[in-house]
Amino acid sequence: MSNVISLRVADFLKNYPPFNFIQKNRLQEISQQVKVLYFEKGDEIFKQDKKTQDIFYIVKDGAIGLYRNEDKTAKLIDINDEGDIFGLRSIISKENYHMSAIAEEETILYGIPSSVFILNLEKNKKVQEYLLSSFASNSSSSKTTISNSINSIGADQDKDNLWELQPVKYTKKVISCLPNTSVKSLAKTMSKKDIGSIVIAENDIPIGIITDSDLRKKIATGDYPIDTCAKDIMSSPVITQPPNITVSQAQMIMVKYNIKHLCITADGTINTNIIGFLSEHDVLVSKASNPSALIKEAKRSKKVSQLREIKAKSTALLKGYLEQDLRITHISKIISEINDVLTIRAIELAQKKLKKKPPVKFTWIALGSQGRHEQLLPTDQDNGLIFENVPPEKYEETKKYFLELAAIITKYLHKIGFEYCPADMMGSNPKWCLSLAEWKNQFKQWILNPTEEAILLSSIFFDFNFIYGEKSYTTELSKTIHETLSTNSILYKFLAKESLSKPSPLGFFRQFLVEQNGENKDFFDIKIRAMMPLIDAARVLSLYNKFVDINNTSLRYEKLAVLEPQNKDLYLSCAAAFKVLTKFRTKQGVFHNSSGRYIELKSLTKEDKLKLKKAFKPIKEIQETLALRFNLSNFS
Amino acid sequence: MFSFFKKKQKQFPEFWNKHLSLFKNEVNTPLNETRFIFLDTETTGLKINFDRILSIGAISSIANSINIADSFEVYIQQNLFKKDTVKIHGIRKSGIKKIEELDALKLFLEYIQNDILVAHHAFFDMGIINEALLRNGLGKLQNKILDTGILFKASKHQVNYVDKHYTLDDLCDELKIPKSDRHTASGDAFITAIAFQKIINRLNKKKDLSVKDLLQIKA
């Protein structure tokens, strides 16, 4: 019976993956079987290592913590909130629960009987893909901080460039033996080759498979003697697939048949020659090793064009990660790592190109978003060069060399995909290619004689990060900044004021404020109105707290939460808000092929707007904290 | 002499006898095994002995689980029809499949069994259902009744206690329940069910609450 309540449940479900891929009438059938479950804070929904229930959950209201017991202590793995699903993975893999689920606050869950849902799973490819990718990621749940509209944009995109859907890399040297080989000699072969399974083939046609577990269950138990023929204990027929099978298909088939190996044959049937062998391990490797493979490739690259390709691949990777809804901190880390390696390689190639060795030691620093490790989307390059202090007579030629070098580096970076900085904040600019002593002076200038104009320009420099060369220079620079700040604190006021000067995201009536004119008229500027105030506030507060070694905005807030326990809640909510905003902007950027900075309000669902508004909340609070702390009320 | 009484005794339809028979033995199930029925009615007005039921919506729960598959919804054919109440609940005279009142009552009795009925300001909903039963030559509902209006007041801490009339909207606000589908019978029944869960949680801090305790809570 379809009634008002089940329709309302369907209305809710359809906003969240994978339900957004399910047809309306099917979704209503599912909704009619839903159980609405109420839990109070501390209630346990399920327990690790216990048998799975025949029901999985989506959070309607509240929050559920997932905990894993490690060394007798329960470790929080993830927090699920509205729209997140959990408890499904174990049902599909037919294993016991890997984690315990506990209500973190008063919570209402929708319980969905797995039977109703799995019936549908068989037929719906998009749902399968979604679930596979979310299971494949280490995060056990599908984090869906950003809701429907973005996800469906992602789902409709051409996914061909997603490595997830690329052909899997299988072993081409298949080790096989004949059906009448004795188990003893077969086991010797397996030990010698160090493999966990072996294909039984006749004339290159696979007829069966023997794995370690067959040997354990059938031979070691004494059920069969050790001179048994392979054909008597092998599993047959083998599951075969064609060579172009994708990573996600391979994984799906393994889950479906509950097997850990696949044979690759010429046409994918058991009647043609075996050409390859695929283990679950291969699948995992081709998934997990991807970013590291890119990094390896980057380190070996000999041409800028190769680096450019790697950059393009990392963008595809980013897209895949966003579709899988991995944690944004995890994504940032991987992408930043790749960006850093690309930059390093560009510097190395530039030095080769110049054919002259650097006359003295130098350091390449990243500034702004790359410095903060927040550069997920291709944005402008912001960087600088520090070279060793040299005697005045050598200064001219030294600077000339480094300017030349920096010009090549920035050109290479531009070719790779980091566009030139329009404000020319680059190492190739004589103003930002300085000796260590000059840099120290420059920072002292900024700190002791801040002018609003200088602050505008310099705030970006306080987020510098070491990339290449002499590490001690950046450490020294940090030290100088510390020392100078402790003698004069006027800078805080300027920085804090700068943070407060950004236009606010919401109007008096809690409506989004959009740009009034210019080419982005009527668009919402998420960078200036929401992210910059948080970035700026984090910067001034971390300078105030005298730590310069952490640049990343959410990490800064997390560190601040430790240093100022009295403001812990505010700082943690700032960190969380910043992550939400970063993910939101990144998704916008990736799926609209833009910087993600300007958002069309019409394209947002109500859910999106609510999420954004929630993320805006701490902005006002942190600004009030700044105004109070740095006594800005009568400072102008 | 006895035959005189027998003649007078009315012949009830089978389903009503069945309803009565369910209450012969007192049942005493633990709280977390008890099936509660949450219900709401939409009517032509607020006069119990004049107005008529337009729809009944209900949903059940056992322990902390509200079971959507076990829900109930009927729309009833009524001749008494007032224009101004339509604005509130939106049941137009046609457009939804409606059934006769007696059939609706029969289905309703089959659905509720002998379980405890919960409604917000139950006095009204029970009153108008009983009135309908009597009009159709039957008796009053035998089920035990709980009222979320009364339970909510009991759940409030003395410090915050205000002796006022809590509407379902007030409950939604205080218990943070999203107000969707207000003024449909099923929607209000569902909200009542969620409110009940939250109220029970507040009343059952010591984890020793019994069904009997609940039934003894008075306004």
Side-chain angles (χ1 to χ4, degrees):
Chain A
M1 183 175 66
S2 169
N3 64 27
V4 173
I5 302 167
S6 65
L7 289 176
R8 193 59 57 231
V9 172
D11 268 355
F12 174 79
L13 293 180
K14 78 170 191 318
N15 290 322
Y16 300 98
F19 302 103
N20 55 343
F21 304 125
I22 296 176
Q23 281 189 339
K24 203 177 160 194
N25 52 351
R26 279 289 303 141
L27 198 55
Q28 279 174 12
E29 280 171 51
I30 292 172
S31 302
Q32 281 156 35
Q33 302 300 319
V34 161
K35 288 184 198 313
V36 181
L37 300 155
Y38 171 85
F39 293 94
E40 57 187 282
K41 186 177 175 181
D43 279 355
E44 191 173 73
I45 293 90
F46 55 71
K47 204 179 172 77
Q48 184 177 342
D49 301 325
K50 287 282 183 306
K51 211 173 165 306
T52 47
Q53 302 153 3
D54 53 3
I55 192 169
F56 68 98
Y57 307 93
I58 178 164
V59 182
K60 169 64 174 62
D61 253 320
I64 297 292
L66 296 177
Y67 293 86
R68 190 179 289 143
N69 275 321
E70 279 166 13
D71 308 326
K72 285 176 192 163
T73 55
K75 194 178 151 205
L76 179 66
I77 304 294
D78 204 354
I79 297 233
N80 284 334
D81 54 19
E82 191 180 310
D84 290 339
I85 63 170
F86 64 98
L88 180 57
R89 181 189 203 165
S90 301
I91 292 174
I92 292 190
S93 62
K94 298 191 181 71
E95 292 166 314
N96 290 342
Y97 283 119
H98 292 285
M99 278 170 270
S100 303
I102 291 165
E104 298 285 309
E105 54 189 72
E106 188 177 54
T107 297
I108 290 173
L109 301 177
Y110 285 165
I112 299 158
S114 52
S115 53
V116 190
F117 182 73
I118 291 195
L119 266 178
N120 188 70
L121 188 63
E122 290 289 319
K123 295 171 225 148
N124 195 322
K125 234 184 137 186
K126 278 189 174 165
V127 175
Q128 286 177 13
E129 274 166 15
Y130 173 80
L131 291 178
L132 274 173
S133 55
S134 61
F135 294 163
S137 65
N138 283 331
S139 102
S140 54
S141 71
S142 47
K143 264 301 195 195
T144 49
T145 2
I146 309 299
S147 65
N148 181 30
S149 76
I150 307 280
N151 274 306
S152 53
I153 293 165
D156 294 335
Q157 293 270 326
D158 176 18
K159 281 192 177 178
D160 284 350
N161 53 354
L162 241 175
W163 49 272
E164 180 106 320
L165 298 175
Q166 279 175 358
V168 72
K169 280 191 180 125
Y170 50 83
T171 315
K172 290 198 173 122
K173 281 183 192 157
V174 184
I175 295 165
S176 66
C177 65
L178 295 168
N180 51 7
T181 315
S182 80
V183 170
K184 189 175 173 182
S185 81
L186 167 152
K188 276 186 178 164
T189 314
M190 286 171 70
S191 303
K192 200 173 137 198
K193 305 273 184 190
D194 198 19
I195 51 174
S197 53
I198 190 162
V199 180
I200 316 300
E202 208 160 24
N203 302 326
D204 277 348
I205 307 284
I207 58 168
I209 187 168
I210 290 178
T211 66
D212 275 346
S213 84
D214 290 319
L215 297 178
R216 189 178 70 238
K217 285 180 190 155
K218 294 171 183 165
I219 306 299
T221 52
D223 290 351
Y224 289 86
I226 197 152
D227 49 4
T228 307
C229 284
K231 66 172 186 287
D232 294 330
I233 65 158
M234 70 186 183
S235 308
S236 179
V238 287
I239 306 297
T240 53
Q241 288 296 323
N244 58 356
I245 182 173
T246 65
V247 177
S248 81
Q249 280 171 329
Q251 211 184 18
M252 191 70 201
I253 290 157
M254 287 179 180
V255 170
K256 189 170 166 191
Y257 293 103
N258 200 13
I259 51 173
K260 293 191 164 62
H261 309 88
L262 289 177
C263 275
I264 308 295
T265 58
D267 72 351
T269 70
I270 52 171
N271 306 316
T272 49
N273 285 359
I274 179 164
I275 55 171
F277 190 70
L278 180 68
S279 69
E280 195 180 37
H281 181 72
D282 294 330
V283 174
L284 289 178
V285 166
S286 55
K287 282 182 172 270
S289 72
N290 217 278
S292 58
L294 284 185
I295 287 173
K296 257 188 203 159
E297 210 183 322
K299 284 183 176 163
R300 280 196 306 254
S301 293
K302 294 205 164 58
K303 284 180 181 162
V304 179
S305 60
Q306 286 172 300
L307 294 177
R308 189 186 171 83
E309 274 170 39
I310 292 162
K311 174 78 187 156
K313 281 186 199 165
S314 83
T315 309
L317 195 67
L318 170 65
K319 208 164 156 181
Y321 285 157
L322 288 171
E323 272 169 19
Q324 290 173 42
D325 260 324
L326 289 191
R327 281 159 184 278
I328 194 73
T329 36
H330 184 65
I331 302 177
S332 311
K333 222 169 145 186
I334 292 173
I335 300 299
S336 305
E337 189 70 23
I338 295 174
N339 283 345
D340 285 357
V341 171
L342 289 172
T343 311
I344 291 170
R345 193 62 197 152
I347 297 168
E348 287 167 350
L349 291 177
Q351 281 175 269
K352 263 188 201 159
K353 164 91 179 171
L354 206 54
K355 287 192 183 109
K356 273 185 288 180
K357 280 211 164 147
V360 291
K361 287 190 271 188
F362 75 101
T363 300
W364 188 261
I365 52 176
L367 308 168
S369 62
Q370 201 193 347
R372 291 190 304 269
H373 272 175
E374 285 162 8
Q375 193 182 44
L376 287 165
L377 296 159
T379 48
D380 314 331
Q381 44 172 307
D382 292 314
N383 45 49
L385 194 149
I386 312 170
F387 56 84
E388 197 179 331
N389 294 332
V390 289
E393 66 274 16
K394 288 266 170 96
Y395 182 84
E396 203 68 20
E397 58 172 305
T398 313
K399 180 145 179 165
K400 188 168 167 274
Y401 170 87
F402 283 113
L403 277 174
E404 218 178 315
L405 177 68
I408 302 175
I409 295 172
T410 51
K411 193 174 92 188
Y412 282 0
L413 288 173
H414 181 76
K415 276 189 182 166
I416 293 169
F418 304 97
E419 282 185 35
Y420 286 128
C421 172
D424 206 11
M425 284 202 225
M426 297 187 291
S428 53
N429 181 342
K431 275 165 86 181
W432 315 127
C433 178
L434 304 172
S435 72
L436 181 59
E438 287 176 305
W439 275 110
K440 283 184 181 173
N441 252 329
Q442 177 65 74
F443 273 97
K444 275 184 199 160
Q445 281 292 320
W446 281 327
I447 295 168
L448 299 175
N449 305 309
T451 59
E452 274 185 64
E453 203 193 339
I455 285 298
L456 218 57
L457 183 86
S458 66
S459 60
I460 196 170
F461 283 91
F462 282 96
D463 296 336
F464 67 83
N465 192 25
F466 169 83
I467 295 288
Y468 179 89
E470 182 58 36
K471 176 96 204 209
S472 65
Y473 292 172
T474 46
T475 324
E476 268 190 63
L477 208 51
S478 302
K479 221 176 111 197
T480 308
I481 293 172
H482 266 278
E483 286 164 3
T484 321
L485 276 173
S486 51
T487 61
N488 191 319
S489 61
I490 184 79
L491 177 77
Y492 301 135
K493 283 196 183 218
F494 277 95
L495 286 175
K497 190 166 166 280
E498 172 65 17
S499 163
L500 263 53
S501 70
K502 303 292 188 304
S504 95
L506 293 179
F508 183 75
F509 298 104
R510 302 244 314 139
Q511 81 280 27
F512 284 85
L513 291 175
V514 294
E515 303 314 299
Q516 293 301 317
N517 39 43
E519 61 171 319
N520 295 303
K521 189 170 181 291
D522 298 331
F523 280 72
F524 178 74
D525 185 342
I526 192 173
K527 182 184 170 188
I528 289 291
R529 290 184 184 268
M531 300 177 76
M532 289 308 289
L534 286 173
I535 294 171
D536 289 344
R539 180 187 304 116
V540 61
L541 285 168
S542 39
L543 286 171
Y544 179 78
N545 275 286
K546 308 256 183 303
F547 64 91
V548 276
D549 46 341
I550 300 173
N551 288 339
N552 184 271
T553 302
S554 24
L555 291 180
R556 274 173 168 167
Y557 281 119
E558 278 158 22
K559 174 87 179 178
L560 285 166
V562 177
L563 294 175
E564 297 179 15
Q566 70 277 20
N567 294 324
K568 190 176 153 206
D569 288 346
L570 172 59
Y571 291 150
L572 290 183
S573 58
C574 285
F578 192 74
K579 286 178 200 169
V580 169
L581 294 168
T582 307
K583 197 161 188 177
F584 202 93
R585 179 179 171 190
T586 312
K587 285 200 172 188
Q588 283 280 330
V590 164
F591 298 126
H592 289 124
N593 246 333
S594 67
S595 70
R597 178 171 166 180
Y598 296 101
I599 294 169
E600 194 183 6
L601 288 181
K602 270 185 283 178
S603 73
L604 300 181
T605 63
K606 197 170 173 231
E607 215 70 53
D608 289 336
K609 287 184 188 163
L610 282 176
K611 279 214 160 118
L612 280 175
K613 283 186 182 172
K614 212 170 149 191
F616 296 159
K617 239 180 160 178
I619 296 175
K620 211 171 159 100
E621 284 176 54
I622 195 84
Q623 289 182 330
E624 281 163 6
T625 307
L626 288 184
L628 208 64
R629 175 168 306 180
F630 301 111
N631 198 11
L632 293 182
S633 51
N634 43 20
F635 175 75
S636 55
Chain B
M1 169 122 189
F2 279 93
S3 60
F4 172 76
F5 284 108
K6 256 181 196 163
K7 254 184 199 167
K8 270 236 146 176
Q9 197 161 17
K10 223 170 143 186
Q11 277 295 311
F12 287 123
E14 180 55 31
F15 74 88
W16 180 253
N17 287 329
K18 206 182 153 217
H19 176 70
L20 295 179
S21 72
L22 289 170
F23 295 88
K24 272 180 188 153
N25 304 315
E26 187 157 345
V27 269
N28 198 6
T29 45
L31 181 63
N32 61 0
E33 290 170 23
T34 304
R35 180 175 179 254
F36 290 96
I37 309 284
F38 306 90
L39 68 100
D40 186 58
T41 56
E42 296 306 329
T43 59
T44 55
L46 295 173
K47 289 192 209 103
I48 287 175
N49 49 14
F50 172 77
D51 282 301
R52 300 294 161 93
I53 305 170
L54 292 171
S55 77
I56 306 176
I59 191 159
S60 77
S61 83
I62 294 177
N64 69 340
S65 173
I66 303 165
N67 206 339
I68 291 180
D70 186 26
S71 56
F72 178 84
E73 192 174 77
V74 286
Y75 293 88
I76 301 170
Q77 183 70 50
Q78 295 291 6
N79 297 322
L80 183 78
F81 191 81
K82 294 195 296 191
K83 252 188 185 166
D84 45 340
T85 48
V86 178
K87 278 183 203 138
I88 301 176
H89 42 65
I91 300 173
R92 288 188 314 277
K93 224 177 165 184
S94 58
I96 293 171
K97 201 191 160 213
K98 291 185 207 157
I99 58 176
E100 293 296 326
E101 190 173 71
L102 187 63
D103 294 331
L105 292 170
K106 180 176 177 230
L107 289 172
F108 181 65
L109 290 177
E110 281 165 7
Y111 172 73
I112 62 173
Q113 299 286 314
N114 59 345
D115 295 315
I116 298 174
L117 305 180
V118 189
H120 194 69
H121 300 143
F123 171 80
F124 176 76
D125 298 284
M126 298 311 152
I128 203 155
I129 291 173
N130 282 333
E131 200 64 34
L133 287 165
L134 292 171
R135 193 166 50 244
N136 285 280
L138 308 167
K140 288 184 175 181
L141 285 173
Q142 301 295 301
N143 303 60
K144 295 203 168 74
I145 312 291
L146 286 171
D147 186 328
T148 40
I150 293 167
L151 294 179
F152 178 67
K153 274 194 206 173
S155 76
K156 282 182 81 77
H157 193 277
Q158 269 185 327
V159 176
N160 303 321
Y161 186 84
V162 188
D163 191 17
K164 65 168 242 189
H165 180 85
Y166 286 95
T167 64
L168 197 51
D169 279 324
D170 293 336
L171 251 66
C172 286
D173 292 341
E174 292 214 16
L175 297 170
K176 298 193 185 67
I177 302 169
K179 283 181 247 183
S180 53
D181 306 304
R182 286 281 286 115
H183 307 301
T184 66
S186 289
D188 281 355
F190 184 56
I191 288 173
T192 307
I194 290 178
F196 181 76
Q197 293 286 351
K198 296 195 172 204
I199 294 167
I200 292 293
N201 172 32
R202 283 159 179 69
L203 290 171
N204 195 16
K205 288 281 181 234
K206 288 183 190 150
K207 304 284 170 205
D208 59 356
L209 191 73
S210 72
V211 177
K212 214 175 151 191
D213 297 335
L214 270 182
L215 290 166
Q216 275 167 358
I217 293 173
K218 291 278 168 335

